[in-house]
């Protein structure tokens, strides 16, 4: 590595605290009762239920979600036998990947022992601690001995990632490459360079997938693995010995369909590549320098499909594509092993995912460039967030079907929905609205239809059948941008478009706009110009005239400029004095709604009351019971300042307007969220638990709190949701993501559904 990278890596590991891991408590320990529950005497209850039924360990401890990453440091990738202590940063890194990609907790354990029998005894004795064991960086052939023995002795999954993780990704890449070149697995010739743990695991898994063992030729540092060879042979390698006079890689490469390299740089010569079969598949996985460089292959074979272990070339074979998710599926069903069927299920799930279209998050993870299934994209990106929701269920099903699942999943649909939280943190709380939107899709018009984020949302809306999209934009520009990012939709065929420069409804639109705005200083000529140049006005007019059921705007431009157009064309609901905005904030600690974050600077008591009533209805649509806290610097009458009195009066108005609503105030923010604190300072509060709808006394307080929570506490915002419009309309902000536009589409559809029901009544 370069000196700059080395310095940066050392800084990364040293600051702000040494290492990459910490232990974090999942339960409160803030008082004597917490201590009594967590330790003596309460902990005895948890111990006793495990004595009665050992399976209860997964319900009262973290064991069911805890993996041991274990090594003796004898074969650390790229570094060799550096020993257990020096391998600890690698094991911590592995632990971080487990947590980041699959939510699995890890203890990394570095064992100072090279004797395989002693190593087996140490690791097997740890079974009560873990739900699974991930062996790492143990040299061959000891790794085979250790894993085989542990799988026999232990009743939890044992998985040597250097073998099986690599094998799964390699098998998925070859599986898809064979799909592309349309070759039969049973007929292809495989030549392997390297016969270590990873290479042999790859070959064994390829055999499980249907490649004929008789067509596999293995070479290593001593040459071809042939029947009768004695040098560097063992029982695992001997399985692939051929009866042949060939002795070198050059002797066996002719007509090879697949080259599998897990050996050394430069082993595969350009001349060898020329002698391979038509449409050769080359897996050159030596790191950091592969057996042959991709540019060398490209110069002599334009029909080759190639993968390496490097991130700077297409088709990176990276174990992170596999190991977090195969463990996720195994742990979730309490698997007693990871068997061959589970590995094959993982292979096919990864391969199939590469053939699916990508969404915005996937493309961002891959540097903003859309990848379509083909020679340079035969396996997914390691950062594809869909991996967990595809692989874990496939593995869990395979475990159940093969009888190794001790806790079978009863409701697989619910399980898959739960996994989606790793894809989009908004997935679970948004679920009720997505389900309602799909039952009765409505026409949603997008003002900024040329924006890539909007176009991705349009694709999702169509794919999920949750809305009928209408796009405002120039057709040629919209189509060009969709083609550029790999969205497979056609303007005018898959969705309707309104062209601001040339639409047959133009005259109707500008005359409607003029009638709405003529007493606000808008002349006919001005109306014509505005309807040509203001997409938000076009979208609002489409909703007003009944050409669309809801609108979304604000992806570009200032919030209040868009609000001015919505106000002018659509106006306010009857009985509502002004607009307000509501944001949903998804936090690690819970879900909170916040109002008013964007509209009214200093709301009156009446406006606060109206905002609360309307916002509470939105909270109910998420399947949540609103618990409303009216926030202030004053805590239940501790101050008589002007703002405190406004909030206090708002409470009285709300209680008159909606006596059933659970609401209280004015109160401090900590009292709103901490039930114990609130009970101490005001034991007779109307709230029965932590508030989930926070009403702020003014715009400054709301917007500052919203942005602090979003930034400091890693909050994920949904919204803003515009409250009070006469017809469904929502104004987003330029920081919104494509997924944010999708979320607002579901909300807009449900708004339109509710309006339709009100009209029918």
């Amino acid at each position: 590595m370069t000196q700059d990278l080395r310095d940066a890596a050392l800084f990364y590991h040293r600051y702000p605290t040494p290492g990459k891991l910490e232990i974090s408590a999942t339960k409160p320990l803030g008082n004597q009762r917490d201590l009594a529950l967590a330790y003596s005497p309460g902990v005895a209850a948890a111990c006793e239920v495990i004595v009665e039924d050992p399976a209860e360990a997964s319900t009262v401890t973290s064991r069911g979600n805890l993996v041991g990453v274990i090594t003796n440091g004898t074969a650390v990738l790229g570094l060799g036998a550096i020993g257990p202590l020096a391998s600890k940063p690698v094991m911590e890194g592995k632990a971080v990947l487990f947590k980041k990609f699959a939510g699995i907790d890890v203890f990394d354990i570095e064992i100072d022992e090279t004797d395989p029998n002693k190593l087996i005894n140490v690791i097997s004795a740890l079974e009560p601690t873990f739900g699974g064991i991930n062996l790492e960086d143990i040299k061959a052939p000891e790794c085979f001995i250790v894993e085989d023995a542990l799988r026999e002795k232990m009743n939890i999954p044992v998985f040597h990632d250097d073998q099986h993780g690599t094998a799964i990704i390699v098998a998925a890449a070859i599986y898809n490459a064979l799909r592309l070149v349309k070759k039969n697995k049973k007929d292809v010739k495989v030549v392997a360079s390297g016969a270590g743990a990873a290479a042999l695991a790859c070959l064994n898994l390829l055999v499980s997938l249907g490649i004929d063992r008789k067509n596999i030729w293995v070479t290593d540092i001593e040459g071809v693995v042939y029947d009768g060879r004695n040098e560097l042979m063992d029982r695992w390698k001997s399985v692939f010995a051929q009866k042949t006079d060939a002795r070198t890689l050059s002797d066996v490469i002719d007509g090879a369909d697949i080259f599998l390299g897990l050996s050394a740089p430069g082993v595969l010569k350009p001349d060898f590549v020329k002698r391979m079969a038509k449409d050769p598949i080359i897996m050159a996985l030596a790191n950091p320098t592969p057996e042959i460089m991709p540019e060398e292959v490209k110069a002599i074979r334009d029909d080759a499909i190639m993968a390496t272990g490097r991130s700077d070339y297409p088709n990176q074979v990276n174990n992170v594509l596999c190991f977090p998710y195969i463990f996720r599926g195994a742990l979730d069903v309490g698997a007693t092993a990871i068997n061959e069927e589970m590995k094959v299920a993982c292979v096919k799930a990864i391969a199939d995912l590469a053939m699916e279209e990508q969404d915005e998050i996937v493309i961002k993870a891959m540097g903003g460039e859309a990848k379509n299934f083909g020679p340079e994209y035969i396996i997914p990106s390691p950062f594809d967030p869909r991996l967990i929701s595809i692989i874990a269920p496939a593995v869990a099903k395979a475990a159940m079907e093969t009888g190794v699942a001790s806790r079978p999943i009863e409701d697989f649909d619910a399980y898959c929905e739960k996994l989606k939280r790793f894809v989009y943190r908004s997935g679970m709380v948004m679920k009720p609205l997505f389900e309602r939107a799909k039952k009765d899709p409505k026409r949603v018009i997008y003002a900024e239809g040329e924006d890539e984020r909007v176009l991705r949302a349009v694709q999702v809306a169509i794919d999920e059948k949750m809305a009928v999209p209408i796009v405002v934009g120039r057709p040629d520009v919209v189509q060009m941008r969709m083609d550029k990012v790999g969205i497979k939709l056609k303007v005018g065929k898959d969705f309707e478009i309104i062209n601001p420069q040339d639409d047959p409804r133009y005259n109707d639109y500008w005359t409607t706009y003029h009638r709405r705005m003529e007493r606000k200083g808008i002349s006919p000529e001005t109306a014509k110009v505005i309807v040509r140049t203001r997409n938000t006005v076009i979208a609002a007019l489409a909703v007003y005239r009944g050409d669309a059921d809801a609108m979304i705007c604000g992806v570009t431009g200032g919030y209040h400029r868009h609000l001015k157009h919505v106000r002018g064309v659509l106006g306010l609901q009857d009985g509502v004095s002004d607009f307000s905005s509501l944001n949903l904030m998804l936090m690690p600690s819970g879900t909170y709604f916040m109002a008013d974050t964007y509209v009214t600077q200093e709301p009156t008591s009446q406006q606060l009351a109206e905002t609360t009533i309307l916002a509470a209805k939105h909270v109910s649509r998420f399947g949540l019971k609103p618990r409303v806290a009216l926030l202030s610097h004053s805590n239940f009458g501790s101050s008589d300042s002007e703002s405190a009195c406004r909030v206090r009066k708002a409470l009285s108005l709300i209680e008159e307007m909606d006596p059933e609503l659970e609401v209280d105030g004015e109160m401090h923010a900590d009292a709103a969220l901490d039930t114990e604190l609130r009970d101490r300072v005001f034991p007779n509060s109307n709230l029965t638990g932590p508030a989930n709808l926070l009403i702020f006394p003014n715009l400054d307080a709301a917007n500052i709190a919203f942005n602090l929570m979003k930034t400091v506490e890693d909050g994920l915002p949904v919204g803003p949701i515009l409250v009070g419009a006469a017809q469904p309309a929502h104004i987003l902000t330029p920081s919104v993501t494509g997924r944010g536009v999708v979320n607002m589409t579901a909300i807009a559809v449900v708004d339109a559904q509710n309006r339709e029901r009100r009209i029918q009544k």
Side-chain angles (χ1 to χ4, degrees):
M1 71 181 76
T2 66
Q3 187 61 43
D4 286 347
L5 181 60
R6 178 183 176 82
D7 292 344
L10 289 174
F11 185 88
Y12 173 87
H13 281 80
R14 285 171 175 156
Y15 302 101
T17 56
K20 300 185 284 283
L21 295 174
E22 67 177 5
I23 301 297
S24 178
T26 60
K27 300 295 192 298
L29 197 63
N31 53 46
Q32 184 62 37
R33 180 167 176 77
D34 289 345
L35 185 60
L37 294 171
Y39 199 55
S40 180
V43 71
C47 296
E48 288 165 355
V49 298
I50 296 174
V51 171
E52 295 169 6
D53 181 4
E56 289 290 345
S58 65
T59 71
V60 297
T61 76
S62 63
R63 181 177 185 264
N65 194 51
L66 185 63
V67 166
V69 172
I70 300 179
T71 189
N72 65 356
T74 53
V76 180
L77 182 63
L79 298 172
I82 60 175
L85 183 60
S87 73
K88 188 171 180 65
V90 180
M91 302 308 114
E92 283 192 354
K94 196 81 169 192
V96 170
L97 295 178
F98 266 110
K99 188 68 174 179
K100 168 67 176 176
F101 290 103
I104 294 171
D105 295 317
V106 165
F107 289 159
D108 64 288
I109 298 179
E110 295 76 31
I111 300 173
D112 190 7
E113 181 57 71
T114 57
D115 184 299
N117 292 320
K118 291 181 180 179
L119 199 58
I120 291 164
N121 291 335
V122 171
I123 298 171
S124 62
L126 296 172
E127 182 170 346
T129 302
F130 298 108
I133 299 292
N134 186 88
L135 300 175
E136 194 77 17
D137 294 347
I138 300 172
K139 74 180 181 71
E142 286 88 338
C143 61
F144 301 120
I145 298 168
V146 171
E147 185 188 36
D148 289 349
L150 291 176
R151 292 181 68 176
E152 287 293 323
K153 296 184 69 170
M154 303 181 79
N155 204 36
I156 57 174
V158 178
F159 187 81
H160 185 209
D161 184 46
D162 299 324
Q163 291 182 60
H164 308 300
T166 301
I168 287 168
I169 311 309
V170 167
I174 291 175
Y175 187 86
N176 270 351
L178 290 173
R179 278 174 166 174
L180 277 174
V181 299
K182 296 180 172 57
K183 291 184 179 181
N184 191 313
K185 294 189 292 291
K186 294 181 180 180
D187 300 329
V188 295
K189 177 181 178 181
V190 179
V191 174
S193 174
L200 295 177
C202 290
L203 296 174
N204 284 321
L205 190 51
L206 290 175
V207 170
S208 296
L209 283 168
I211 289 178
D212 193 331
R213 190 183 300 272
K214 293 184 298 184
N215 295 334
I216 297 175
W217 300 76
V218 179
T219 65
D220 62 8
I221 196 169
E222 290 291 331
V224 172
V225 174
Y226 62 90
D227 190 19
R229 195 182 102 173
N230 296 316
E231 298 84 358
L232 295 180
M233 293 296 288
D234 54 52
R235 61 186 176 91
W236 299 278
K237 195 184 299 185
S238 296
V239 171
F240 295 97
Q242 294 273 20
K243 291 183 177 180
T244 179
D245 293 329
R247 292 295 182 264
T248 67
L249 177 59
S250 179
D251 293 339
V252 296
I253 198 66
D254 285 354
D257 298 282
I258 300 167
F259 170 80
L260 173 61
L262 286 144
S263 52
V267 167
L268 186 64
K269 308 301 180 185
D271 178 61
F272 296 0
V273 175
K274 291 179 183 178
R275 292 154 51 193
M276 292 180 71
K278 183 178 182 294
D279 300 317
I281 299 164
I282 299 172
M283 314 293 291
L285 305 179
N287 247 336
T289 306
E291 284 78 3
I292 189 169
M293 296 300 290
E295 48 267 31
E296 292 181 88
V297 173
K298 191 172 183 180
I300 54 177
R301 294 293 297 259
D302 59 6
D303 60 339
I305 297 175
M306 186 164 182
T308 70
R310 291 171 53 141
S311 60
D312 53 344
Y313 289 102
N315 299 323
Q316 183 194 13
V317 172
N318 189 325
N319 289 11
V320 80
L321 275 164
C322 159
F323 71 82
Y325 315 117
I326 197 167
F327 267 101
R328 180 75 278 160
L331 292 173
D332 289 340
V333 295
T336 56
I338 293 176
N339 58 31
E340 204 70 10
E341 291 84 355
M342 293 162 74
K343 289 186 280 184
V344 169
C346 188
V347 169
K348 293 181 177 179
I350 293 170
D352 289 344
L353 180 57
M355 301 182 72
E356 293 187 9
E357 292 185 15
Q358 301 144 6
D359 63 14
E360 177 202 20
I361 292 180
V362 179
I363 290 170
K364 280 188 175 180
M366 296 190 294
E369 182 181 357
K371 296 281 189 181
N372 296 316
F373 181 64
E376 293 196 344
Y377 187 71
I378 55 174
I379 44 177
S381 162
F383 291 94
D384 190 325
R386 300 169 297 177
L387 287 163
I388 190 168
S389 60
I390 299 295
I391 298 174
V395 171
K397 283 182 180 177
M400 292 163 59
E401 290 167 358
T402 55
V404 297
S406 64
R407 298 190 305 274
I409 294 169
E410 295 181 2
D411 188 342
F412 238 88
D413 289 339
Y415 175 61
C416 292
E417 287 295 330
K418 182 181 177 183
L419 288 174
K420 287 182 180 178
R421 73 183 185 269
F422 295 103
V423 184
Y424 306 116
R425 283 185 290 170
S426 58
M428 295 301 286
V429 74
M430 287 295 300
K431 185 177 182 298
L433 274 78
F434 277 95
E435 292 301 316
R436 287 178 60 183
K438 291 176 185 179
K439 289 178 180 177
D440 184 18
K442 298 297 179 185
R443 298 167 299 170
V444 178
I445 186 166
Y446 302 85
E448 293 89 4
E450 296 176 4
D451 189 282
E452 180 184 322
R453 293 165 292 176
V454 170
L455 294 173
R456 295 199 179 284
V458 167
Q459 181 179 36
V460 174
I462 293 172
D463 291 346
E464 296 289 326
K465 297 180 175 59
M466 57 181 277
V468 180
I470 304 169
V471 163
V472 181
R474 295 163 291 176
D476 56 337
V477 175
V478 171
Q479 191 64 61
M480 178 270 291
R481 290 186 177 168
M482 288 194 300
D483 293 343
K484 181 180 178 182
V485 298
I487 296 174
K488 298 176 181 178
L489 299 176
K490 296 298 179 184
V491 170
K493 178 181 177 182
D494 296 306
F495 58 87
E496 183 183 347
I497 191 164
I498 296 179
N499 182 359
Q501 297 177 342
D502 182 19
D503 191 278
R505 292 164 287 195
Y506 172 68
N507 286 333
D508 293 335
Y509 274 39
W510 81 255
T511 53
T512 300
Y513 184 67
H514 178 249
R515 284 197 302 271
R516 296 287 290 164
M517 303 296 291
E518 62 184 335
R519 292 189 179 275
K520 297 180 182 178
I522 300 298
S523 67
E525 290 304 314
T526 302
K528 291 178 182 180
V529 172
I530 289 175
V531 174
R532 284 279 191 216
T533 59
R534 297 289 187 268
N535 286 11
T536 298
V537 171
I538 296 172
L541 287 167
V543 173
Y544 179 78
R545 289 172 50 84
D547 296 335
D549 301 306
M551 66 170 286
I552 291 175
C553 63
V555 175
T556 60
Y559 189 93
H560 282 270
R561 177 170 63 81
H562 292 286
L563 181 60
K564 176 184 176 182
H565 295 316
V566 172
R567 186 190 298 273
V569 176
L570 298 182
L572 291 160
Q573 290 181 30
D574 292 339
V576 176
S577 59
D578 201 359
F579 295 96
S580 58
S581 63
L582 175 69
N583 268 92
L584 166 58
M585 185 65 74
L586 304 169
M587 308 285 291
S589 58
T591 299
Y592 306 100
F593 294 81
M594 307 170 71
D596 167 19
T597 48
Y598 280 98
V599 179
T600 306
Q601 185 70 44
E602 294 290 339
T604 64
S605 297
Q606 180 68 30
Q607 288 172 324
L608 286 171
E610 290 176 0
T611 295
T612 301
I613 299 297
L614 294 172
K617 291 179 180 178
H618 275 283
V619 173
S620 298
R621 292 175 190 170
F622 287 83
L624 302 173
K625 180 185 178 183
R627 291 191 299 270
V628 188
L630 305 177
L631 301 184
S632 171
H633 74 281
S634 174
N635 208 26
F636 300 106
S638 64
S639 171
D640 287 326
S641 68
E642 185 274 334
S643 65
C645 291
R646 271 193 293 115
V647 175
R648 201 173 304 155
K649 183 179 178 182
L651 177 63
S652 300
L653 293 173
I654 294 165
E655 290 173 338
E656 292 176 11
M657 297 163 69
D658 188 353
E660 301 299 317
L661 183 63
E662 187 175 324
V663 57
D664 211 341
E666 78 285 9
M667 68 175 73
H668 291 171
D670 54 356
L673 303 178
D674 187 334
T675 305
E676 281 193 26
L677 172 62
R678 186 170 65 244
D679 288 345
R680 286 202 302 273
V681 298
F682 195 76
N684 297 315
S685 171
N686 298 328
L687 294 183
T688 59
N692 56 18
L693 173 54
L694 308 177
I695 306 296
F696 290 83
N698 59 36
L699 182 60
D700 285 343
N703 194 267
I704 290 168
F706 164 67
N707 283 296
L708 277 173
M709 290 175 73
K710 179 174 69 173
T711 305
V712 176
E713 292 298 325
D714 194 29
L716 177 66
V718 176
I721 301 166
L722 185 64
V723 176
Q727 292 174 260
H730 295 289
I731 305 168
L732 306 182
T733 60
S735 63
V736 71
T737 63
R739 186 62 189 181
V741 180
V742 172
N743 287 334
M744 291 308 304
T745 299
I747 291 170
V749 170
V750 173
D751 282 351
Q753 293 171 349
N754 290 338
R755 182 173 185 270
E756 184 177 78
R757 281 193 289 271
R758 289 196 302 269
I759 292 172
Q760 289 172 349
K761 288 180 180 179

